[in-house]
Amino acid sequence: MKYLRTKKKILLLAVITVVVVFFVSCDADREQAQGQATFDGAWSPHSVMIDFEHYRILRVSDRPLFDAEGSINQDVLVRLMAILNDPHLDPMLREPKSQWPSAVPLDSSYSYVANTAEDFSDFVVRQPVSMSHSGAIAIKLFETIPDRVGVHNSHLTEFTSQWWQLVYRATDDGNDVLTLWMMQPYRLTPFNGTRYDYAAGSLQDRFIDRLRDPDDGIWSRIAPGIINTVLSDERIAMGLPPCNNYFFEGNFSDSIARSNLRRDVGVVLHQFGVEDYLVAPRDLPGRWQSSIYQTGANMDFVYYATGQFYIYRAGAEAGFAGSGNPQDGLGATGLIWGTLRHFALINGKDGLSVGPYNGHWPNTTLAPTYDDLFWLPSDFEVRTMGFNRDNALFQTFITNPDDRYSILRTNTEPENRPDNANGRSGLWRLNGFDRAFDVDGLGLSRGWMTEQVWLRSHDGLGFGNATTVSNTGNRYGYGVNQLAGMRPALHLSVTQLRAQQQE
């Protein structure tokens, strides 16, 4: 407890700088993965994204929880448990989750106790003076493995150098699971490929998807039958040409991003052997990563309807029937962004989300990702759960990411915002500071690819769009063939860690 008292008096500012070697990728074997980053110890202009005047980070320890040989650092474990056992965060002192932030009742079958990023923030900053004044708890999970940089080394150095933020904790009678989100992207990756086999005169008459010309930045319509031109990590490492396994579709379960992440993670797990401490999404208390759980309406209380898809044509209105059956496992969230007909799809990881074309994808199969130990967050988790579940219509973001003294703002008109929820939204109750990251951390020239990180959610604006979070903490739709940062999350078993704690 002496550690906690000291930490409460002195809120340490953490700085994480990520050094990542640039690459492009597209993969076929869907097997393994790794990554890297470096820690600087003091504030610098290149780390303002997580060291704002209004945002304080409490580091569990300067040392990693897991040593390179896979053993647990007992001192770090004791410090982590001291935080998690504090009365302010002890789930045993809380009532089970019974309703959404919007006050809509939660199905009792999903009953569990939860701590959110807001609770961890309140632990660090006990008396926030404004919406912008917030905090976070960060931990170094893995000992940094040196000299294993880049795609040929599965980015092991970049991955293991990262710090992780405590964003959610779910507890029921049998399990206590802590969710952590990497605080910076450890690498770049395309989300998916460029192959486009839709028959001319059919789907193209109904849907418009566009590819960006990297030379002039102009979006142009895709011609049918185009082959894939984006390389996966495996193809890069083996010196092979692009494979045609990856399509211009926002299906995360069959994507380059997932394949690259799994390749990286395979190397991490081989190095550290910590699988016993990680929890697969299918085993979470409350099953909160299921499609049924992660389904929400838009501000018209309309759910995404199977077989209905928003047709993007400037100035044209498109009919949208909606669906009154979210119990079918749609896995969609109303984006409340631009048009009311926008939705984020594939939030759930059980493979029960709908596809954009009569419930499926034209070229790929929506598959469960329930067993992935490392994964990309969903729009539902980090930004909005939909109008019927969230009481914040728009997420907060940082007004000026290059200014250390910048504050949070909410990008919506006051008349459309009944409650700003203290600047927090999404299942994890994140704010703009939590979602934001250091755009200079990758060591590359600034541009869209270094200012975005992928989410696993498909953006309903078009087949070839996926959802991203920007370095300001804002949300965008982005072509799946483009490069953006990889910023995964994981579930850590507090139950297993407690069993390993020495008396």
Side-chain angles (χ1 to χ4, degrees), residues 143-189:
E143 179 181 349
T144 301
I145 306 299
D147 304 322
R148 298 285 298 277
V149 177
V151 63
H152 289 82
N153 294 300
S154 295
H155 300 273
L156 183 61
T157 305
E158 295 99 311
F159 193 104
T160 56
S161 300
Q162 296 293 340
W163 286 71
W164 301 71
Q165 180 178 344
L166 282 61
V167 293
Y168 203 68
R169 183 183 184 185
T171 308
D172 59 16
D173 292 339
N175 294 286
D176 189 351
V177 180
L178 182 66
T179 302
L180 302 101
W181 189 20
M182 189 179 282
M183 298 182 72
Q184 302 282 1
Y186 75 95
R187 58 167 286 178
L188 294 176
T189 183

Side-chain angles (χ1 to χ4, degrees), residues 1-7 58-61 79 82-83:
M1 295 304 296
K2 179 179 180 181
Y3 163 75
L4 283 176
R5 289 195 295 270
T6 302
K7 291 297 184 182
L58 172 64
R59 292 182 296 178
V60 174
S61 173
R79 291 170 181 250
I83 293 174

Side-chain angles (χ1 to χ4, degrees), residues 332-366:
T333 295
L335 292 182
I336 326 296
W337 175 80
T339 173
L340 305 186
R341 299 181 178 92
H342 282 218
F343 284 87
L345 309 181
I346 319 184
N347 292 320
K349 293 182 65 61
D350 51 12
L352 300 179
S353 299
V354 296
Y357 179 57
N358 291 330
H360 62 85
W361 296 83
N363 296 291
T364 61
T365 301
L366 188 64

Side-chain angles (χ1 to χ4, degrees), residues 328-399:
D328 293 336
L330 301 178
T333 295
L335 292 182
I336 326 296
W337 175 80
T339 173
L340 305 186
R341 299 181 178 92
H342 282 218
F343 284 87
L345 309 181
I346 319 184
N347 292 320
K349 293 182 65 61
D350 51 12
L352 300 179
S353 299
V354 296
Y357 179 57
N358 291 330
H360 62 85
W361 296 83
N363 296 291
T364 61
T365 301
L366 188 64
T369 60
Y370 242 10
D371 295 314
D372 291 0
L373 297 180
F374 292 75
W375 36 271
L376 298 185
S378 69
D379 190 71
F380 182 95
E381 290 155 6
V382 307
R383 196 188 68 89
T384 180
M385 297 184 288
F387 190 79
N388 63 317
R389 298 187 174 182
D390 234 333
N391 54 6
L393 299 186
F394 280 80
Q395 81 278 13
T396 51
F397 68 99
I398 296 174
T399 57

Side-chain angles (χ1 to χ4, degrees), residues 22 36 80 110 272 300 325 431 451:
F22 171 86
Q36 144 187 28
L80 175 62
Y110 295 98
F272 289 88
D300 280 348
N325 302 305
N431 62 17
E451 294 176 358

